[in-house]
Amino acid sequence: MHTVAEACRAVLLAGDPYAKVRLARTVARAWRRGGLTHVFNVAMPERPARPPRPELLPPSRMPKRGKGGSERGRIAMLHALAHIEFGAIDLAFDAAGRFGAEFPRGFVDDWIGVGADEAIHFALLDRRLKSLGSSYGALPAHDGLWEAAEQTAGDSLARLAVVPMILEARGLDVTPATVERLERVGDHRSAAILWRIYHDEIRHVGAGTRWFKTACESRGFEPISHWKRLTKTYFRGVLKPPFNDSARDEAGLSRDFYAGLAGARDV
């Protein structure tokens, strides 16, 4: 691997979770130290490699997890979060390798850094699952995150609008209540992991929002109205309140973007 695109592609093609984590962190170090050139000479794969487990099911067939009060419920919740973080490694490196040529070098700095963070998050959650007698792959999961990546593969602004500014921002809304429930049942170790992830995700949403605004302005789009146009085209879900306005605002994602859209499928 000599170029940043080759390195990003290698991360995406690492199917084994632990190999992906190691490679993500190795690539991030190499990039920080100047060991990779800012060259985009290879294409990103249509799909990343995946391990044989977990079994991937349609979202409609996923079993209900509950609120995490019982140990079984907490394992299911932590497994779902580990799967999100595993997919987020690929999302970050795909963004860097697929869209990096469109942006200044700082774009690659940010998304490789995000990918390294997601690798750490996954490792922390998997370690916690093992301490509870489980592990990543023990339960089914769904592929919704990568479906969002496929739908936005041809438009960098659509990718930023949907992935960090909607899907990752949702984590800012739900994590504080999840941490509170874990603390209430005495699972302080899991709560501490989620609290660390929460604070990192504010930075990640902030990176996505900042690059979205910068790119819109450089291309002659008004950011808020263009975000609404893109989400209407590319996001088929529902924006679910309540919103964590303070965390979103810290990330630069003001209420002007999403106010009035709560519960609306056609945003």
Side-chain angles (χ1 to χ4, degrees):
M1 298 182 300
H2 300 289
T3 73
V4 69
E6 290 169 346
C8 289
R9 181 179 172 87
V11 173
L12 289 160
L13 293 178
D16 177 78
Y18 310 107
K20 190 182 293 287
V21 166
R22 288 193 299 270
L23 189 54
R25 299 185 70 182
T26 297
V27 167
R29 282 195 300 272
W31 176 251
R32 286 196 304 268
R33 295 172 180 174
L36 299 168
T37 59
H38 188 248
V39 173
F40 300 89
N41 60 325
V42 295
M44 296 304 103
E46 291 186 9
R47 290 188 59 82
R50 287 285 181 259
R53 300 187 66 84
E55 178 187 10
L56 297 179
L57 300 176
S60 60
R61 289 182 53 203
M62 287 292 295
K64 298 296 184 182
R65 294 199 308 267
K67 297 293 186 179
S70 67
E71 182 170 298
R72 181 177 178 181
R74 293 199 305 279
I75 287 172
M77 180 193 67
L78 293 169
H79 189 279
L81 292 173
H83 183 66
I84 289 171
E85 299 299 329
F86 181 69
I89 301 170
D90 289 325
L91 285 170
F93 282 93
D94 184 74
R98 185 179 299 272
F99 301 121
E102 299 179 28
F103 293 87
R105 187 184 182 95
F107 182 89
V108 176
D109 291 340
D110 280 343
W111 292 111
I112 286 185
V114 168
D117 286 346
E118 308 293 18
I120 294 170
H121 297 168
F122 171 80
L124 290 169
L125 288 163
D126 183 59
R127 190 180 308 151
R128 180 62 180 142
L129 283 168
K130 287 176 178 174
S131 75
L132 293 171
S134 187
S135 63
Y136 179 63
L139 298 173
H142 68 79
D143 206 25
L145 272 181
W146 192 256
E147 289 172 5
E150 289 177 327
Q151 291 160 4
T152 59
D155 188 330
S156 59
L157 289 179
R159 175 69 64 85
L160 294 169
V162 172
V163 175
M165 297 176 71
I166 294 180
L167 300 180
E168 290 193 72
R170 179 62 180 158
L172 304 184
D173 301 333
V174 301
T175 299
T178 304
V179 168
E180 185 178 333
R181 286 196 299 271
L182 290 169
E183 294 281 9
R184 199 158 52 236
V185 299
D187 191 349
H188 305 298
R189 289 177 63 188
S190 297
I193 293 169
L194 265 61
W195 203 238
R196 171 179 176 166
I197 292 172
Y198 170 77
H199 287 288
D200 286 346
E201 296 295 347
I202 292 175
R203 290 190 292 101
H204 300 174
V205 174
T209 303
R210 184 177 67 255
W211 284 112
F212 180 82
K213 291 176 179 177
T214 299
C216 280
E217 290 163 2
S218 70
R219 300 175 194 189
F221 299 124
E222 195 285 316
I224 293 172
S225 60
H226 195 56
W227 181 82
K228 291 179 179 180
R229 284 194 295 271
L230 290 171
T231 54
K232 184 174 183 179
T233 301
Y234 291 98
F235 180 63
R236 305 308 336 144
V238 177
L239 297 179
K240 299 177 182 178
F243 301 114
N244 185 343
D245 293 328
S246 61
R248 285 168 172 255
D249 193 59
E250 186 177 346
L253 185 58
S254 69
R255 283 185 58 81
D256 295 335
F257 282 91
Y258 57 89
L261 301 179
R265 184 170 294 276
D266 289 324
V267 297

